[in-house]
Amino acid sequence: MGRQPWTGSLSQVEVVVRVFLSGPMGSGKSTVAKLVAERLGLRAVDLDAEIERRADKPIPQIFADEGERAFRTLERAVAAELAQADGIVVALGGGTVAHRETRRALLRAGLVITLDAHIDELVARVGQGQGRPLLAGADVRARLQEVLEERAGWYAECHARIATSGKPPEQVASEVEAVCRRRPIVVPLLERTYRVEVGAGLRNELPAQLARLTSTGSALIVSDQTVGPLWADAIGHAVSGSLKQLAQVRIPPGEEHKGIRTVESIWDAALEAALDRGSAFLGVGGGVVGDLTGFAAATFLRGVPVGHVPTTLLAMVDSAVGGKTGFDTRHGKNLVGAFHQPSFVVCDTDVLSTLPPREVRAGFAEVVKSAWIAGEHAVAALERDRAALLAGDMAATTAAIRMAVELKAQVVTEDEREGDYRAVLNLGHTVGHGIEAAADYTGFLHGEAVALGMVAAFRLARRFGDATAEHAERMTRLLAGIGLPTDLDAALTPKALSFLGSDKKRRGASLTLVLPAAPGEVALRKVPLADVVAALST
Ligand SMILES: NC(=O)c1ccc[n+]([C@@H]2O[C@H](COP(=O)([O-])OP(=O)(O)OC[C@H]3O[C@@H](n4cnc5c(N)ncnc54)[C@H](O)[C@@H]3O)[C@@H](O)[C@H]2O)c1
Ligand SMILES: [Zn+2]
């Protein structure tokens, strides 16, 4: 009955130790790899050369003697090894990323950067295709075109794409180096791949990013009346210079306005400004603004791209990433919506300076949740940093946000539309929602209720899962250390328990519980509702 859907670990390390250059043959990967390695003090490795060394013959010979399949098997094995090696810049083969597992392993192991080039330039660089078995005997341009089309989604799954046409290799190397410094987090979804960036002052780059998102130079910025004067007005002012047309709308703040009327006001603002299908939406605000902007973008003219600038900690670590959008109805929260992945997410940590401290602490509940799903090193890092986090230290906060975003990115990649796997992210939410609802959504902030819900999850996991008293105490200590409530019995009123039966994740008379044990060990299990209530009441 018990299931272990996630025993994940986050392999993206604090300092970049592996860079993988991807892209078609002739895009300059090997030359640039050498330059980047020199600059960063790393070792340059050419994957094809490494394969030749091991096979002790040139690649065309491997193809001739053993066929492409044997070559690919060898390529995968060598790539998997390099994903474990430290301090390297690897020029991948043009087709290395065709293999899903290899591609995803490289994305987890380091930074994957795709070098793009115009087809004319590629044709000029590869000549007649000598030494390149995939081009042998073919019309080189037509074959390259075919290869590019076939690989479009695979090349799109990367931390950054760099256009190399007309640029000297030194310049491309500088751009690679800049990506290494920024360390974007990638959500790899083939052509819908996007990146999340976390750092101070990143809003200054929105003009360029938004301009890239719209094909007609027009955009709509959605914010709320609180965040507007604090942050969105200045962002609007800054981006207007790089656009032909900018419309703006400010919605009233708060969950009580997360309804169809507000969605309609966003559609109306876009329609009144006569925005077209080439325009883009930008949401600047907390989770409410993000969910509504995402939904409005998913439906406006049957869908336009959206970028998110989350301004609450919760929105940065949770709602802005993953593509769930929607709104509340009188029947409940988030009951109507759509999946619509953003095209970028910019987490400018400066915006947290105006967020009330209670909202910041509440956001940390989701961070603790993510850390427990991610594993021991993530939990240990939060334990180490908890005083710094509570004091608002930005380096610690940025690291915590990155950890949570990386986890969410990994889970979303595995299970974009919430089959069982993505459900691990509901840790603490089943009871948390009951506690929130029983207090009419005014007594507790969402994160506070989730903190209590995680205490409840450990109580349930001791009864139905593998948690020990030590695991439960460790979670409680961490939550309390970050200033979150942990007095479950005070919050767990009969009314809160009665809401468990109406949880939307319920199927029949059972609840699917997310049961944590040690960090990194989180299982899903279906348990009869009556047993859940009994276990919580003891
Ligand atoms: N889509 C998803 O996957 C997902 C995941 C989790 C939560 N959510 C949704 O997110 C919403 C909660 O988001 P939230 O916690 O960000 O609440 P929120 O959007 O209501 O923001 C909280 C309050 O803080 C204010 N605010 C926002 N940024 C500020 C800033 N920088 N400075 C000062 N004030 C600021 C807002 O005006 C608001 O009053 C819920 O509706 C929930 O359903 C969605
Ligand atoms: Zn939540």
Side-chain angles (χ1 to χ4, degrees):
M1 181 86 159
R3 222 185 125 230
Q4 200 78 16
W6 174 268
T7 47
S9 77
L10 293 171
S11 44
Q12 185 90 357
V13 287
E14 301 262 317
V15 182
V16 172
V17 290
R18 298 179 202 103
V19 182
F20 303 101
L21 299 181
S22 179
M25 47 199 119
S27 57
K29 301 182 292 279
S30 303
T31 313
V32 174
K34 286 196 195 94
L35 291 172
V36 173
E38 241 166 64
R39 286 163 181 236
L40 299 179
L42 305 175
R43 182 165 61 92
V45 180
D46 191 286
L47 183 65
D48 280 350
E50 191 62 26
I51 293 169
E52 293 186 330
R53 198 175 62 76
R54 300 206 187 180
D56 199 22
K57 53 183 149 184
I59 287 174
Q61 202 61 48
I62 306 177
F63 269 70
D65 295 351
E66 300 159 53
E68 178 170 358
R69 188 188 275 261
F71 169 77
R72 293 293 172 204
T73 306
L74 187 55
E75 181 181 43
R76 268 170 225 162
V78 178
E81 258 177 55
L82 291 175
Q84 312 275 331
D86 283 347
I88 49 169
V89 183
V90 183
L92 298 174
T96 312
V97 294
H99 185 243
R100 185 176 185 277
E101 264 170 53
T102 302
R103 189 170 73 243
R104 297 284 166 87
L106 296 173
L107 284 165
R108 279 196 302 273
L111 290 177
V112 177
I113 299 172
T114 302
L115 304 186
D116 289 314
H118 191 272
I119 182 104
D120 293 339
E121 209 155 321
L122 293 177
V123 171
R125 289 190 202 151
V126 302
Q128 292 311 304
Q130 301 91 338
R132 303 188 190 262
L134 288 184
L135 298 182
D139 168 349
V140 170
R141 169 183 277 276
R143 180 68 191 123
L144 262 175
Q145 190 71 53
E146 237 174 68
V147 167
L148 287 180
E149 275 163 29
E150 182 193 27
R151 296 178 181 169
W154 309 328
Y155 285 150
E157 289 196 346
C158 61
H159 292 84
R161 303 190 79 139
I162 297 178
T164 64
S165 292
K167 289 180 191 163
E170 288 75 17
Q171 187 184 338
V172 178
S174 299
E175 292 183 28
V176 171
E177 213 185 325
V179 176
C180 294
R181 271 197 302 274
R182 303 165 64 110
R183 293 189 297 135
I185 298 162
V186 64
V187 184
L189 296 166
L190 296 171
E191 272 95 342
R192 292 173 303 123
T193 294
Y194 58 97
R195 285 131 208 125
V196 185
E197 297 208 68
V198 187
L202 288 176
R203 64 191 180 287
N204 297 324
E205 292 165 28
L206 287 166
Q209 266 175 305
L210 194 55
R212 273 199 297 275
L213 208 53
T214 146
S215 56
T216 52
S218 51
L220 173 73
I221 295 184
V222 182
S223 190
D224 73 24
Q225 286 153 2
T226 304
V227 179
L230 291 172
W231 301 103
D233 291 350
I235 289 173
H237 189 75
V239 301
S240 62
S242 64
L243 297 170
K244 278 204 208 107
Q245 186 195 12
L246 176 66
Q248 306 214 42
V249 57
R250 303 283 177 262
I251 64 174
E255 185 75 31
E256 65 272 29
H257 297 289
K258 193 180 170 186
I260 187 67
R261 289 242 158 76
T262 309
V263 173
E264 207 171 2
S265 73
I266 299 172
W267 286 329
D268 281 343
L271 292 166
E272 273 153 29
L275 295 190
D276 55 24
R277 293 177 53 83
S279 57
F281 285 15
L282 184 73
V284 182
V288 170
V289 165
D291 282 10
L292 292 172
T293 309
F295 182 77
T299 46
F300 179 68
L301 302 178
R302 297 200 178 76
V304 295
V306 64
H308 289 308
V309 182
T311 63
T312 62
L313 184 60
L314 178 130
M316 291 183 187
V317 301
D318 198 348
S319 61
V321 181
K324 277 197 201 175
T325 77
F327 56 90
D328 307 336
T329 79
R330 65 194 159 80
H331 298 282
K333 286 185 55 162
N334 299 322
L335 290 176
V336 181
F339 281 97
H340 188 52
Q341 297 290 346
S343 300
F344 64 73
V345 180
V346 169
C347 301
D348 186 335
T349 49
D350 288 349
V351 303
L352 297 175
S353 62
T354 58
L355 191 66
R358 188 178 166 197
E359 291 276 355
V360 177
R361 287 196 299 272
F364 276 123
E366 305 281 3
V367 174
V368 170
K369 174 195 82 175
S370 303
W372 214 278
I373 298 168
E376 176 59 35
H377 65 296
V379 173
L382 290 184
E383 289 173 333
R384 183 195 64 209
D385 288 351
R386 68 184 165 205
L389 293 171
L390 199 52
D393 178 90
M394 269 305 136
T397 303
T398 302
I401 295 169
R402 288 187 61 89
M403 179 275 296
V405 170
E406 278 170 12
L407 175 86
K408 182 129 193 211
Q410 282 192 25
V411 174
V412 166
T413 308
E414 296 304 322
D415 178 16
E416 190 186 353
R417 297 204 163 215
E418 189 154 346
D420 276 356
Y421 198 56
R422 187 163 169 172
V424 295
L425 294 173
N426 291 331
L427 172 59
H429 281 62
T430 303
V431 176
H433 283 148
I435 290 172
E436 246 184 320
D440 287 328
Y441 296 99
T442 54
F444 296 97
L445 293 178
H446 172 71
E448 294 167 346
V450 169
L452 293 162
M454 286 194 287
V455 175
F458 273 95
R459 190 177 287 181
L460 294 169
R462 292 202 59 200
R463 170 76 182 74
F464 303 110
D466 300 328
T468 64
E470 288 71 36
H471 296 142
E473 277 157 26
R474 191 175 175 196
M475 169 60 97
T476 305
R477 231 180 302 125
L478 178 53
L479 291 170
I482 299 181
L484 286 158
T486 55
D487 186 355
L488 177 62
D489 290 314
L492 206 57
T493 58
K495 193 174 172 196
L497 285 171
S498 76
F499 273 99
L500 288 183
S502 59
D503 188 283
K504 76 175 175 192
K505 303 286 181 309
R506 178 176 58 105
R507 301 226 171 91
S510 292
L511 288 177
T512 299
L513 299 177
V514 186
L515 299 172
E521 289 171 19
V522 175
L524 297 181
R525 187 168 168 189
K526 248 174 112 170
V527 176
L529 179 58
D531 296 356
V532 173
V533 172
L536 284 171
S537 311
T538 49

